[in-house]
Structure formats: structure tokens, C-alpha cells
Amino acid sequence: MTRLNRRDLLKAAGAAGALNLLWPLSAGLSPAQAREAAEALGADYDPAPFTLGVASGDPQPSSVLLWTRLAPEPLATEQNLPEIVEVDWVVATDPQLRRVVARGTAPASDTLGHSVHVPVSGLRSGTRYWYAFKALGKTSRIGRTRTAPVADIPRVRFAAANCQAFHDGFYAAHRGIASEDVDFVVHLGDYIYEHGQVGGVPADHVRDHEGPAVFTVADYRRRHALYKGDASLREAHAAHPWFLTWDDHEVANDYSGTGGGAPFMQRRAAAYQAWYENMPHRDSGTSALPDPEIHRVRRWGSLLELTVLDLRSYRSAQNLPDGTILGADQKSWLTRGIDRAPDSWHVWANSIMLSQLRGRPGGSYMFTDQWDGFLTERGEVLNHVHRSGLEDLVVITGDWHSAFVDDIRTDFDDTSSPLVGTEFTAHSVTSGAYSADWNRTNGPLMGRANPHLKYFEGNRYGYDVYEVTPERFSAHMRVIADRRDPLSPVTTLTTFHVDRGTAGSYEDPATKNSPAQWRRD
């Protein structure tokens, strides 16, 4: 088959002088022209008005959050809809929606982009359900979800994804996630990219220019709608319930949620609103705006405790003696949770790398937008983990566009310091990684500079599947063959295990000869 590549199409359009005809969010395009341009880049949409699909999120033992958003013209600045549209919803125990267990009606208002967030309660724990919406005489696709169990369970499987730049390729990884037998999905951030465009090409590919980026609610809504135009992403949302956190590109590259003047705070508010409108997110209060609450603890039976962190909203500037990545309130919340943690696996959903990462032996450089820019607080948190006696800690991370496996130590510069957990950093869905030459050269340098680093592989794209039993935590690195191919097959690159009660990971012997730029023997 002919393989399309969004990046190649955009570059070819630039050479032909036809950029504004191919980038869907270019200024001056009508909604129909924008959609035609998106479809030329491989996008498509569900039938109107449910063009962006359906989703569920934040599953709990008796409840789950259902989501959809009415957008008959997904890439329009304004939707031609009444101010309020009544949306019917239904939940059933069968995919034909015949055995209905809950139904109702929810208002979709223009104020929130005609989005619908329905917290359905009174459900049975550990049970699979199907759901759908109806509005304006039309019915949505049918979604599938699951509630959390409460009893002892023999196994939980879940997937983690991150970093899915639309202009960098097709979401074959999400197609893989949709077909996985998993209980839920964790998205670790960079769901969209806010990059500006120069003449229609994303500025990410024209690095010596800074074109117009996204600033308003309408801008961010259209960006989310473009990303939802990938059918595989909609399939993954419809197949499983999701837990969500965010990183920087949902708003602006490397931003601090507490920094910047009024123009930036307005931009942040616009980004947060559009993110909420387009995600199956359940907030703890009566309204998620202006600041959705991301951090939360959820349990999957007695087997797994999931702690979702927000590492953007409350952080200070980097490299300050008293700097914070968590913020005072979230830090207190996290340490209290460590003190009260049950006897189970403890998984932290962490958008940016927790482990130290020096660039080369003897070098002082570290990428300080991640936890390396907040050394004092990281040390405080990890020492608290050690003093509390918390065991079986696994941190799952995104952001790097490459796969890492790290031992977590209370002091990464002291190889004799206590080993308190394992961090798995997953490949990106599509977002461009460093070149193969860079990875080949720098993988060994990073390995020698970071004695806690066990594995690095940066030439591939995909997602992770985690399989958890009372005895073992296994990380399966799923990779796609080619991000130019929306139907790219998925294979398992390698698998790492962590045994219950024993800090530290080891690679499965069956996959230990798989390609990598660094592995510690």
C-alpha cells in the first residue's frame, strides 16, 4: 500500500508552494476547506454531530465518567448549534444496549463547547458496560467501559500512551491499544501540541521561525478536533476507560502553571478549558474550570493503587533552592498518601522523568524541565518513600519520546543509597525522537553517566502494556513498525519485570537480545 506521512505531505506542500491548502488549521480556510485539508492528511470523523467520538474515564467501583462533544463541523471556530442541546445517554450490560442499567439526559452548552460529562453512578464493581449518546435525532457510536473491582483480583492489565504529535505520523499505536485486552488506559501527557505554523507548516519542522500558535479557546478546540480526526485515537477512547494527566504541550512548551503575566494566564485558562471540553475527565468539584483537578488516587481492587500526578499546574521556576514541581498542597497530599498506602502495588502516573539523567560521564548537564530541575523536592519525596517503608513502587512516565528503564534511588549520585522503585519511560505514539545516529552515540554515554539507567531505546514508537499480578509487575514495550502507516503492525520489543517485595527490575530472558542503544548487563 502507499504509505502517507503527514510530515512528508507538509514538506512536499511547502516545496510546491501550497502550504495553506494542506495544513487544516491555516488562517482563512472555511470549515469545509479545513476538513478537506485534514482528510488529505489522513483524518476522518464520525457522523455528525458526534464527529469526535465517545469516551469514558476515571473508572471507580460504582461509577464511571462518560464523555462526548457535539461538533457537526469539527474544525469550525463556532458550531452552528443551539445554545443548549439536550443529549440522551444510555448504559447497558450488552453491546446491543438492550439490557439497560442507567439512562438520562444531560445539557450540552455552548459555554463548554457543547461537551457532555456524565458521571454515571450506581454501577456494579468490576463490570464491563457499553454506552451511547443521542442528540439532534442522531445516535453516536457505541463505547465500551469498565468499573473498578473492589475485591482481591488475580490480575490487572493497562496501557500507557504519551506524546502524539499529529503532524509526525499516524496513530497506529492507538489502534493497537484499542485492540488490547486491558482494563484501562493511562495517558501521560502531550495529547496535543500547541506549536505555531509558518505558512501552514507546524513550527516544529521549521525550527528557525516562530509562527502563530494557539491562544484562544477556539484555537485549542480546533487543535483537539484535528487530533481526534485520527480514527485510531477515537477507537482507543471508545474501547477502554482512560485516566488522564497532562504535560506542557497541552498549553505551551515547558510552561510553569504559576508563572507568566496576564496574557499567559489567559492562554492557560483557554487551554485548560478546551482540554476539559475534549477529555473524559471527572473533576472533584462542581465545576472543573478554571483549573481542572488532575491529581488523584484510584484503586483497582486490592492489587493496585494508582496515583495520578499533575506536574505542570503548581510548579515554580526550575533550579531554585526551594523550587517545587508539585506545589505545596499536592506535595502534602502525596506524602500523606505514601504514609497511608495499602499493601499493594503502587503506580505513579508521572508525565516527565523522575530519575536523574546526566548527558555524559562527568557532565553536569541535566534537562531541568523534568524532576532534575527540582532536586531538593525530589530528594524529599524519595526519602519520604524510603522512611515510610513503602514497597513495590513503579513510576510510569512519558515525555521523552524514547524508552528508558531506571532504578529509583533516594540519591542518584550515590550508588549505595536505598533503591526504592522502578521507573518505566514509554516510547511516544508519534512525536519525533532523536535521530538514530544520536541514539547510537548518546545511549552508551547516558548509560555510563547514570548507573541507575538499565535500558534505553530511542529508535521506535509505540506504547507500553503493564501486566500486574500479586507476584510480579511486567512492562511490555509495544512498538509499531512504521508511523507512516495507519495500519502498522504492533510487536513487543522487550519486557521487563519487577518482583513483589524486591526493588529493581530485570529484563525477560526471552527478549533480552532485542535491539537497544543501551542495556546494562
Side-chain angles (χ1 to χ4, degrees):
M1 61 176 293
T2 300
R3 290 180 172 175
L4 300 174
N5 184 300
R6 289 168 180 152
R7 295 180 303 155
D8 292 346
L9 285 170
L10 289 166
K11 290 176 181 177
L19 294 172
N20 285 335
L21 297 179
L22 273 180
W23 182 241
L25 304 183
S26 298
L29 296 183
S30 70
Q33 291 171 325
R35 182 163 180 169
E36 182 179 1
E39 290 171 350
L41 296 179
D44 66 7
Y45 292 93
D46 283 9
F50 300 102
T51 53
L52 308 181
V54 302
S56 67
D58 197 28
Q60 298 183 39
S62 63
S63 178
V64 70
L65 188 286
L66 305 183
W67 170 91
T68 193
R69 180 175 163 233
L70 308 181
E73 292 290 350
L75 300 177
T77 303
E78 298 287 341
Q79 298 297 323
N80 184 20
L81 289 171
E83 182 176 352
I84 295 178
V85 178
E86 296 295 325
V87 179
D88 297 326
W89 56 269
V90 63
V91 177
T93 56
D94 66 300
Q96 293 77 35
L97 305 181
R98 293 171 182 157
R99 298 191 295 272
V100 174
V101 296
R103 64 169 74 244
T105 301
S109 71
D110 178 69
T111 303
L112 291 178
H114 292 98
S115 62
V116 175
H117 297 78
V118 179
V120 182
S121 58
L123 302 177
R124 295 180 58 186
S125 64
T127 302
R128 176 168 286 177
Y129 292 97
W130 286 261
Y131 63 94
F133 298 91
K134 185 175 182 179
L136 304 173
K138 304 293 184 180
T139 302
S140 73
R141 70 158 72 198
I142 295 172
R144 184 181 65 179
T145 191
R146 183 190 294 272
T147 52
V150 293
D152 292 344
I153 54 174
R155 186 188 75 160
V156 57
R157 298 181 87 248
F158 65 100
N162 72 93
C163 300
Q164 52 194 47
F166 179 87
H167 49 267
D168 274 353
F170 291 94
Y171 296 161
H174 280 303
R175 183 172 176 269
I177 289 173
S179 66
E180 292 276 2
D181 177 20
V182 293
D183 297 293
F184 57 86
V185 176
V186 180
H187 199 283
L188 295 165
D190 290 345
Y191 189 101
I192 64 166
Y193 281 73
E194 87 298 352
H195 295 310
Q197 297 104 43
V198 180
V201 176
D204 187 46
H205 301 291
V206 189
R207 296 185 185 277
D208 56 341
H209 295 282
E210 185 66 31
V214 290
F215 294 97
T216 67
V217 173
D219 292 339
Y220 283 103
R221 283 173 180 167
R222 295 177 73 220
R223 189 62 57 99
H224 277 280
L226 177 62
Y227 278 55
K228 286 286 202 310
D230 193 300
S232 296
L233 178 57
R234 298 196 308 279
E235 289 172 7
H237 271 300
H240 314 292
W242 286 36
F243 293 100
L244 299 148
T245 188
W246 50 30
D247 195 19
D248 52 341
H249 290 291
E250 282 85 354
V251 179
N253 187 41
D254 291 352
Y255 84 97
S256 165
T258 59
F264 175 75
M265 298 308 287
Q266 292 171 349
R267 182 183 188 186
R268 190 191 86 151
Y272 280 10
Q273 176 171 337
W275 182 90
Y276 173 70
E277 291 172 352
N278 286 279
M279 296 294 138
H281 172 72
R282 186 207 309 257
D283 212 68
S284 62
T286 56
S287 174
L289 301 178
D291 295 309
E293 185 179 88
I294 301 297
H295 61 284
R296 62 201 57 213
V297 173
R298 297 291 184 256
R299 295 193 173 99
W300 208 263
S302 60
L303 184 57
L304 184 145
E305 179 187 62
L306 176 69
T307 299
V308 181
L309 300 177
D310 181 350
L311 302 181
R312 285 291 164 187
S313 299
Y314 315 115
R315 65 161 58 194
S316 68
Q318 306 161 16
N319 302 320
L320 300 176
D322 58 349
T324 177
I325 193 171
L326 293 165
D329 291 345
Q330 185 179 199
K331 181 182 174 182
S332 296
W333 166 86
L334 178 60
T335 54
R336 288 194 306 271
I338 293 169
D339 291 337
R340 302 169 183 171
D343 181 16
S344 67
W345 288 100
H346 306 284
V347 176
W348 292 2
N350 176 70
S351 58
I352 51 178
M353 189 177 287
L354 173 68
S355 300
Q356 183 168 288
L357 185 64
R358 295 193 185 278
R360 59 187 58 246
S364 60
Y365 175 77
M366 295 185 288
F367 179 44
T368 56
D369 185 62
Q370 54 199 37
W371 283 81
D372 277 338
F374 307 88
L375 299 180
T376 300
E377 184 166 84
R378 178 173 65 189
E380 291 171 353
V381 169
L382 295 182
N383 275 289
H384 191 87
V385 168
H386 175 59
R387 288 192 304 270
S388 73
L390 184 77
E391 294 183 329
D392 306 315
L393 172 64
V394 176
V395 178
I396 61 172
T397 297
D399 180 61
W400 236 93
H401 307 179
S402 299
F404 294 77
V405 180
D406 286 281
D407 285 338
I408 302 173
R409 293 191 178 274
T410 56
D411 183 348
F412 290 101
D413 288 322
D414 181 0
T415 57
S416 66
S417 66
L419 176 58
V420 296
T422 293
E423 181 172 27
F424 294 112
T425 300
H427 290 96
S428 65
V429 170
T430 60
S431 299
Y434 286 104
S435 69
D437 288 342
W438 191 97
N439 293 331
R440 182 170 54 251
T441 299
N442 288 278
L445 292 177
M446 291 189 295
R448 292 196 295 271
N450 301 278
H452 51 276
L453 174 59
K454 290 190 166 181
Y455 175 92
F456 166 74
E457 201 294 313
N459 291 348
R460 290 163 177 79
Y461 300 87
Y463 59 98
D464 281 2
V465 169
Y466 303 112
E467 186 167 5
V468 188
T469 70
E471 295 80 26
R472 193 165 74 171
F473 187 109
S474 299
H476 307 289
M477 297 182 191
R478 303 277 206 253
V479 293
I480 61 171
D482 191 341
R483 58 184 170 149
R484 295 175 298 173
D485 182 1
L487 303 180
S488 180
V490 175
T491 57
T492 299
L493 178 64
T494 192
T495 294
F496 274 77
H497 304 292
V498 179
D499 290 333
R500 186 76 178 269
T502 304
S505 66
Y506 58 94
E507 193 167 8
D508 193 295
T511 61
K512 199 168 185 178
N513 293 323
S514 61
Q517 290 77 59
W518 170 260
R519 56 166 43 91
R520 191 172 301 280
D521 295 325

